[in-house]
Amino acid sequence: QADCGPTKERPVQVLTGVKQAELLFLSFTHRLYVVTWNVATAEPPDDVNSLLQLNSPKKPDLYVIGLQEVKAAPLKFVTDLAFEDSWSHLFMNTLAPLGYIKVSSIRMQGLLLLFFSKLEHVPFIRDIQVTYTRTGLYGYWGNKGGVSIRLSFYGHMLCFLNCHLTAHMNYASQRVDEFEYILDAQTFDTKNTPRILDHKVVFWFGDLNFRIEDHGMLFVRNCITSQRYNLLWSKDQLTMMKQKEATLQKFKEGPLDFQPSYKFDLHSDNYDTSGKKRKPAWCDRILWRVKPKSSLSEDPNEDDQNQEDPKKQLEEQHKDEFPLKLSQEFYTSKMEYGISDHKPVIGIFRLELRKIYETPLVQVSAEGEWSADFDALITYSLLQTFPSSAWDWIGLYKVGFKSVSDYITYTWVKDYQVSFTDELFQVYVNKDEIPVLGGECVLCYYSSNLQCIVGISKPFKVQESRVAIEEGLVPENISGLDETVAS
């Protein structure tokens, strides 16, 4: 499910009287890093530095990680739902110190999809929704199917679909049917982009299970050994199916200039030596689609509506004038990981776009000195009109936090309000909720209706509690939040 914080049922209040910020359309390039990996119920490796290319001088803006066959025994699955699974923990613990947070995730049994972003982009990631579709075993257990996260990134609608389709050589057509069923079945609660293909960009990836037909085992392995992968492309089932299936033709894929990612003996680079001797195949794939310019209008009545709305006319004009551009920089399998019979596959993309908005919805800041010796004050202002709720809250986070739910404490914006004008609001944080050891922190305004962070403060210092030190409750001159959070 989409990540959120404290939940209670409260009335919705729409904020008015705030001037809409002027739209800016400067071109920016972002790097997007996609991972797909069938982990075959294995526990995570010791580290994923190589998988995520953390030593690269070019840091991605976004990480999208799709896993299949995450261990999903009933008891473990219930535990994971409550406490996060071991794979999510590994990726969060790895990426959080580098300035990334988990913005959203969704799990359906063995299928897991994680979306990470650099903190600077988080207030501009909105309209987050997640959904799933079961296809395996008549849809009962969810061992096959698709999970998706859709969101707005600086005003551009993106959708990420992680699939695990039917296995075995003879089911290529069934795999296409399952994919089309997932596209038809998944819907989102929005007018302009209710279906996956309505989004401006769609990434489709996962263990799609397409195999290499006709060629014998010896020929396939010789082509791999000699790195003449192109001799196998014409018999790759996905490539073959794209020639006759209109839905597949909408998606692009980079050249398969890397070793097939399936099937390996565990903890080795040797293809299957068991009695079954499965033929190598590019089962694990990453494809994408950019919505054609001619079909940017999702609603047949939208043109008539835009005639009456100058703002919508302006937005549509800019969408046509500045289309989003997407290109792939890198596509390969990562051979160094041996915990599964699949090797992970990565794709790195350049996403060039004009930001439809550059201003966060809320500006939030910490006022004055913060410590556990007195109540603290937060000031926030609304930079744009948005559907606020009495359930909106502001969280105090340690710098380097992992996800939206990783707050130290929070305050409801209405319950703890101490003053307000038409443009400026102040709320307080009880001193008992502030960590006595202090540390570097940020404040995040979370919108309950939008299910996302819409404003982040600049980092600030929470001072050590002088009272606690004088009373001998903590050693003098110890700073940092780790001990406090751990306790």
Side-chain angles (χ1 to χ4, degrees), residues 11 56 60 77 79 107 132 152 155 162-163 222 227 260 280 284-285 301 327 401 407 433 481:
S56 171
F77 182 55
T79 304
R107 181 171 179 190
Y132 63 89
S152 165
N162 172 27
C163 288
N222 283 339
Q227 297 186 7
D284 309 282
R285 311 287 277 269
N301 299 318
S327 59
F401 66 100
Y407 52 81
E433 302 295 327
L481 291 170

Side-chain angles (χ1 to χ4, degrees), residues 324-344:
L324 175 150
K325 297 179 181 178
L326 183 68
S327 59
Q328 189 175 60
E329 292 184 341
F330 200 56
Y331 190 31
T332 192
S333 54
K334 300 289 287 182
M335 296 297 295
E336 56 267 46
Y337 291 91
I339 61 173
S340 167
D341 55 353
H342 291 251
K343 300 296 185 182

Side-chain angles (χ1 to χ4, degrees), residues 173-311:
S173 294
Q174 184 174 334
R175 288 189 271 277
V176 176
D177 291 342
E178 287 180 349
F179 175 53
E180 292 179 338
Y181 172 74
I182 292 169
L183 292 181
D184 289 338
Q186 293 198 357
T187 59
F188 303 98
D189 184 20
T190 180
K191 180 180 179 181
N192 289 336
T193 53
R195 297 185 178 277
I196 290 175
L197 295 183
D198 294 329
H199 292 74
K200 184 174 282 190
V201 176
V202 177
F203 287 91
W204 171 39
F205 48 92
D207 180 2
L208 308 185
N209 254 321
F210 290 100
R211 308 305 172 97
I212 298 174
E213 289 189 357
D214 297 340
H215 294 312
M217 178 73 79
L218 182 60
F219 179 80
V220 171
R221 293 199 175 191
N222 283 339
C223 289
I224 295 171
T225 302
S226 62
Q227 297 186 7
R228 293 183 296 171
Y229 308 122
N230 60 303
L231 299 181
L232 303 174
W233 293 347
S234 64
K235 296 300 181 180
D236 168 69
Q237 287 181 335
L238 180 53
T239 302
M240 296 167 68
M241 297 302 288
K242 284 187 72 173
Q243 296 175 0
K244 59 181 181 179
E245 296 289 344
T247 302
L248 298 183
Q249 291 170 8
K250 298 175 182 178
F251 286 84
K252 295 182 179 180
E253 183 180 19
L256 298 169
D257 284 329
F258 55 89
Q259 279 191 241
S261 55
Y262 174 85
K263 173 179 171 56
F264 290 87
D265 293 338
L266 295 183
H267 308 292
S268 81
D269 292 343
N270 300 319
Y271 284 102
D272 187 15
T273 60
S274 71
K276 292 184 178 180
K277 287 187 170 56
R278 298 285 191 194
K279 190 164 43 170
W282 286 289
C283 290
D284 309 282
R285 311 287 277 269
I286 301 171
L287 298 91
W288 72 94
R289 173 185 186 256
V290 177
K291 193 170 186 181
K293 181 178 178 180
S294 59
S295 60
L296 279 174
S297 179
E298 293 90 359
D299 188 334
N301 299 318
E302 194 169 2
D303 290 338
D304 294 337
Q305 295 170 359
N306 288 348
Q307 296 298 324
E308 303 171 3
D309 190 337
K311 178 185 170 185

Side-chain angles (χ1 to χ4, degrees), residues 80-206:
D80 288 348
L81 285 179
F83 301 106
E84 297 274 16
D85 62 277
S86 55
W87 284 94
S88 295
H89 272 300
L90 172 64
F91 287 115
M92 287 193 293
N93 291 338
T94 301
L95 290 172
L98 301 176
Y100 297 89
I101 77 162
K102 180 169 73 73
V103 176
S104 184
S105 65
I106 180 172
R107 181 171 179 190
M108 182 190 75
Q109 297 302 113
L111 276 168
L112 175 64
L113 180 56
L114 305 166
F115 182 90
F116 291 86
S117 170
K118 281 185 177 177
L119 188 62
E120 66 196 73
H121 303 304
V122 169
F124 306 98
I125 300 173
R126 305 171 190 171
D127 304 317
I128 303 169
Q129 293 186 42
V130 300
T131 191
Y132 63 89
T133 302
R134 296 186 176 96
T135 59
L137 288 180
Y138 306 101
Y140 180 73
W141 181 237
N143 61 321
K144 296 289 194 298
V147 293
S148 61
I149 297 174
R150 57 88 69 176
L151 51 87
S152 165
F153 185 65
Y154 290 99
H156 299 269
M157 297 308 304
L158 314 180
C159 186
F160 303 91
L161 173 61
N162 172 27
C163 288
H164 192 186
L165 304 180
T166 293
H168 305 306
M169 180 70 73
N170 298 328
Y171 292 103
S173 294
Q174 184 174 334
R175 288 189 271 277
V176 176
D177 291 342
E178 287 180 349
F179 175 53
E180 292 179 338
Y181 172 74
I182 292 169
L183 292 181
D184 289 338
Q186 293 198 357
T187 59
F188 303 98
D189 184 20
T190 180
K191 180 180 179 181
N192 289 336
T193 53
R195 297 185 178 277
I196 290 175
L197 295 183
D198 294 329
H199 292 74
K200 184 174 282 190
V201 176
V202 177
F203 287 91
W204 171 39
F205 48 92

